[in-house]
Amino acid sequence: HSTCVRILRRENSHLDYDGQFSIYDADDQEKVMKEVFKRLNMSPIDKSFSVRAAISQISKQKEEMVSWEDYAKTVDPFDIKGKRLAKVYQLYQQLLKESNALDFDDLIYKTVLLFRTHPEVLDKYQERFRYIMVDEYQDTNTSQYELVHMLAAKYQNLCVVGDDDQSIYGFRGASPSFMLDFPKDFPGTEKVFLDVNYRCSGRIIRLASQVIGTNMSRYEKNIKGDRDLGERINVFVAKDSGEEAE
């Protein structure tokens, strides 16, 4: 995100807003969204479509590189919630622009759009970033995936690190498929497995391997440990979160 901020400020002559744009945090977003609800005569306490729910839905669209115009085209005429979100998304973006502001999701979203529409700008940053390394690649979402792949397309010097079995941010748009499909995107990829666990006891590794081994789509791994078997594993089933914490 910080890299994208620098790129957007430097390349503001190609953008439709001033390079000294503000970056809105969660509180700023809520204020803008409350104004959106007010102008559209919508209730901010509607449980089925709250201010926070609207922000979350718009964030999801930006992570998937979907503009409000594209989203509006896909909404079924009988989908009341979808039509409402399309109007909210449109006005939300309008108010951000009037304030010369971007939200956090815009930083990557707008940079990818910049690269798509100005290949000469993309070429400049492909030359600047000839070697790229990405950590926690299993948690990559669509916009991050596009950003990395556009930058790496010219020289193909891309190293990603991650574990497809540890992808836990699906609610943020992350997908382990980006990691699983990496060799298809970059033919000739070399896979290096770091398969020795130095942290856990043998029994923990064995049990964990049995659990993650049931994942449907994954890279096969044979995790080994350098410690002894350790204590026997106890399974505790709590009746609620309070008992679990205790």
Side-chain angles (χ1 to χ4, degrees):
H1 290 86
S2 60
T3 300
C4 288
V5 170
R6 289 196 289 273
I7 292 172
L8 292 173
R9 294 206 191 280
R10 284 177 183 152
E11 307 300 333
N12 71 291
S13 61
H14 299 289
L15 308 172
D16 58 353
Y17 46 85
D18 188 273
Q20 298 306 309
F21 56 82
S22 302
I23 302 172
Y24 278 5
D25 61 16
D27 290 337
D28 297 321
Q29 283 182 280
E30 280 205 33
K31 289 174 186 174
V32 174
M33 190 57 74
K34 284 177 180 177
E35 179 62 22
V36 169
F37 274 47
K38 181 180 177 182
R39 293 195 188 187
L40 295 176
N41 294 317
M42 292 167 50
S43 170
I45 58 172
D46 181 353
K47 290 184 179 178
S48 65
F49 195 76
S50 64
V51 164
R52 290 190 176 182
I55 292 171
S56 175
Q57 286 296 317
I58 290 172
S59 173
K60 192 174 294 184
Q61 298 308 316
K62 291 181 182 180
E63 287 171 354
E64 293 297 320
M65 294 303 302
V66 178
S67 66
W68 73 262
E69 295 95 336
D70 290 337
Y71 178 78
K73 290 175 187 173
T74 63
V75 176
D76 188 293
F78 299 102
D79 183 357
I80 297 173
K81 280 188 179 180
K83 289 167 69 177
R84 188 189 302 172
L85 179 61
K87 290 180 180 177
V88 168
Y89 192 0
Q90 179 183 7
L91 184 53
Y92 175 77
Q93 289 303 108
Q94 180 186 319
L95 294 183
L96 284 182
K97 188 173 179 182
E98 287 175 4
S99 301
N100 195 41
L102 301 180
D103 64 21
F104 201 61
D105 296 300
D106 277 327
L107 301 178
I108 294 179
Y109 173 74
K110 295 282 188 183
T111 304
V112 172
L113 290 182
L114 171 67
F115 288 163
R116 283 181 181 176
T117 54
H118 293 85
E120 74 282 4
V121 176
L122 172 60
D123 185 70
K124 180 167 77 172
Y125 288 96
Q126 286 174 333
E127 290 295 331
R128 184 181 180 91
F129 302 116
R130 294 193 180 197
Y131 297 86
I132 300 170
M133 180 172 169
V134 184
D135 197 11
E136 303 291 1
Y137 194 72
Q138 77 278 357
D139 292 327
T140 303
N141 62 34
T142 300
S143 60
Q144 293 167 340
Y145 169 88
E146 286 213 30
L147 176 70
V148 169
H149 281 240
M150 291 174 90
L151 287 171
K154 188 171 185 177
Y155 290 104
Q156 307 267 305
N157 295 320
L158 175 61
C159 174
V160 302
V161 183
D163 181 357
D164 52 301
D165 284 317
Q166 294 190 52
S167 183
I168 59 173
Y169 288 106
F171 63 93
R172 291 185 190 166
S175 172
S177 64
F178 294 132
M179 187 157 195
L180 294 170
D181 291 340
F182 189 90
K184 296 178 189 174
D185 296 333
F186 292 90
T189 291
E190 180 182 355
K191 294 195 286 286
V192 179
F193 288 95
L194 306 179
D195 55 5
V196 180
N197 182 307
Y198 298 96
R199 179 184 297 171
C200 303
S201 65
R203 284 193 174 94
I204 291 291
I205 293 170
R206 187 169 61 193
L207 178 61
S209 296
Q210 288 173 341
V211 172
I212 64 177
T214 61
N215 288 343
M216 300 296 288
S217 300
R218 63 190 296 265
Y219 287 123
E220 288 298 324
K221 312 173 191 71
N222 180 27
I223 308 299
K224 304 178 285 290
D226 74 335
R227 296 174 58 183
D228 57 23
L229 284 177
E231 297 178 22
R232 290 177 61 83
I233 296 169
N234 292 309
V235 178
F236 171 70
V237 181
K239 64 183 180 184
D240 55 36
S241 59
E243 185 181 23
E244 180 182 9
E246 204 171 299

